[in-house]
Amino acid sequence: MCIRDRYMGISYNYFLREGLMKVTSIILLSLAFAAISAQVIQIVPVVSSTRTATCPGGFQPSSCGCGLKCGSTHMTFGRKKQCHCQCVPTDWSVAHCMQLRTEQNIDMGLVVTEAHTSTLYATCPAGTKATGCSCGNTRGDYLIHNQVTCQCLTADSGWTKAYCAKPADARYELHCQYRKVAANPVTATPGLIAVGCSCGNSCNSYTLANNQCNCHPGCGSTWTAINECRVAKTPAAIAAEQAAAAAAKRKKAAEEAARAAEEAARRAAAAAAAAAQRAAEEAARKKAAEEAARKKAEEEAARKKKESC
C-alpha cells in the first residue's frame, strides 16, 4: 500500500487497482430516459491523476470529485470545461461531464454557471438547477435544498459554490432531487440520472458509476447523498406543441372538408352534365320521331291524293 493509501485509503492507485476508472479515459456512465419524455441525460466521468480533469467536446461539468478527502473544487466552463481540485496534496480528480440530448438524439446544449458566496449557502440563478456544490477549507459534505440551494454543513467552510445548469434549448428544463440516506452505495431512482454525490464527514471522495454514488471507505461517512435529475419539456413547450397539434388537426379537418366539398361539387357538376346530355339525347330522339311522323303523314297524304285522281 502506498503512502497515499495509508493516508486516506483512497488514492489514484485505488482506482486503477479496483478497475473502477482509467487515467484520462472517457467512460460512458449511464443513459436513461425521463419517465414522461424521451430526452436523455448522458454522464461521462473523466478521471485525471492531476488536480484538474477536463470534459470532452460537447460536455460540461456537472460535479467534481477529488482524492484525499478534498471537497474544495472549482469549475471552469465554456472552452475549458474543467474540474480543478483546490487542495494540496490531491492525487486525483474526476469531472462528471453532462450532455443533454433530445428524443431525436440531437445535442440540445447545456448552459452552466456558478453561484459563489462567503456564507454556508449559495443559490442558483432562476431557471437553473444545482447539479453539484463545493465548500471551502477542503470541506466536502453539503446538502441541496429545493433543487437550487447548496448548503455546506461545516461551519468553517468559508465559502460555498453552487454549480448550476439548464438546457440551452428553452423548450426543456431540468428536474432534480437530492436524497440523503444512511447507506452506501446509493442508486438513482428509476427514470433519473445521478449527476453528483456527497458524503458525510467532510469527504468528497466518491465514485459515480452505473448510476450509483459510492462513498469510499476511507471517508468514514455515515451517510451518502445522491443528486439525481431528468430532463423534460417545459409546460409552455408542451402547451405550445399541443396548440400546434390542435391547429394542425383543425387545418387538416378544414382541408379534408374543402376536398370533400370540391368532390361533391365535381360530382354534382358531372351529374348535371350527364342529365343535360340525357335531356339533349331525349330531345333529339323526340325531334327525330316527330320528323319521321311528319314525313310519314306527308307520304300518306300524297298517296291518298294520288289514289283519288
Side-chain angles (χ1 to χ4, degrees):
M1 179 180 289
C2 67
I3 294 175
R4 288 175 298 188
D5 285 337
R6 292 197 298 269
Y7 172 74
M8 185 56 199
I10 310 160
S11 73
Y12 188 67
N13 289 344
Y14 174 88
F15 284 100
L16 297 181
R17 187 169 58 251
E18 297 299 323
L20 295 175
M21 298 178 184
K22 294 183 179 180
V23 183
T24 67
S25 66
I26 299 173
I27 306 168
L28 180 63
L29 176 66
S30 54
L31 285 174
F33 289 85
I36 63 171
S37 66
Q39 289 76 53
V40 174
I41 298 177
Q42 184 175 345
I43 297 291
V44 172
V46 178
V47 183
S48 170
S49 59
T50 69
R51 293 164 60 197
T52 300
T54 303
C55 289
F59 288 77
Q60 294 283 357
S62 64
S63 61
C64 307
C66 307
L68 303 183
K69 207 177 181 179
C70 176
S72 297
T73 62
H74 175 66
M75 282 189 190
T76 56
F77 310 115
R79 294 179 61 186
K80 288 187 176 181
K81 303 175 296 185
Q82 293 177 333
C83 283
H84 179 70
C85 296
Q86 298 183 329
C87 310
V88 179
T90 300
D91 62 347
W92 55 264
S93 60
V94 56
H96 300 109
C97 307
M98 183 162 66
Q99 185 182 69
L100 307 180
R101 307 194 72 82
T102 68
E103 56 267 42
Q104 291 81 28
N105 199 30
I106 299 172
D107 181 6
M108 69 177 68
L110 184 66
V111 177
V112 287
T113 187
E114 175 187 292
H116 188 177
T117 71
S118 57
T119 69
L120 295 178
Y121 294 86
T123 299
C124 289
T128 65
K129 301 295 171 59
T131 58
C133 309
S134 180
C135 306
N137 293 331
T138 77
R139 306 308 184 188
D141 45 357
Y142 62 82
L143 302 178
I144 298 178
H145 302 285
N146 301 320
Q147 304 185 63
V148 295
T149 299
C150 290
Q151 177 193 1
C152 292
L153 296 178
T154 307
D156 63 348
S157 294
W159 52 260
T160 303
K161 292 180 182 179
Y163 299 125
C164 315
K166 68 177 182 178
D169 189 331
R171 296 174 300 167
Y172 300 91
E173 61 186 356
L174 281 174
H175 296 269
C176 301
Q177 66 178 22
Y178 182 85
R179 292 191 297 118
K180 174 186 171 185
V181 297
N184 189 60
V186 178
T187 302
T189 303
L192 301 179
I193 290 296
V195 299
C197 310
S198 179
C199 308
N201 198 29
S202 297
C203 185
N204 198 40
S205 295
Y206 63 86
T207 58
L208 201 171
N210 300 320
N211 218 19
Q212 185 180 79
C213 288
N214 188 0
C215 296
H216 292 297
C219 287
S221 174
T222 58
W223 55 266
T224 303
I226 184 169
N227 192 27
E228 49 194 10
C229 302
R230 64 179 175 88
V231 61
K233 289 182 179 177
T234 65
I238 294 173
E241 288 185 356
Q242 291 174 342
K249 185 176 180 180
R250 289 193 298 270
K251 181 180 178 182
K252 183 179 179 181
E255 290 174 347
E256 290 177 349
R259 284 195 297 270
E262 183 180 351
E263 178 64 16
R266 186 192 66 77
R267 291 181 178 179
Q277 179 66 26
R278 288 194 300 271
E281 291 174 352
E282 181 63 24
R285 285 194 298 271
K286 182 178 181 181
K287 183 177 180 180
E290 290 174 347
E291 181 64 23
R294 183 188 62 78
K295 187 176 181 180
K296 184 177 180 181
E298 289 176 350
E299 290 176 351
E300 182 65 21
R303 184 185 64 77
K304 287 182 177 181
K305 183 178 180 181
K306 184 178 180 181
E307 287 178 353
S308 62
C309 291

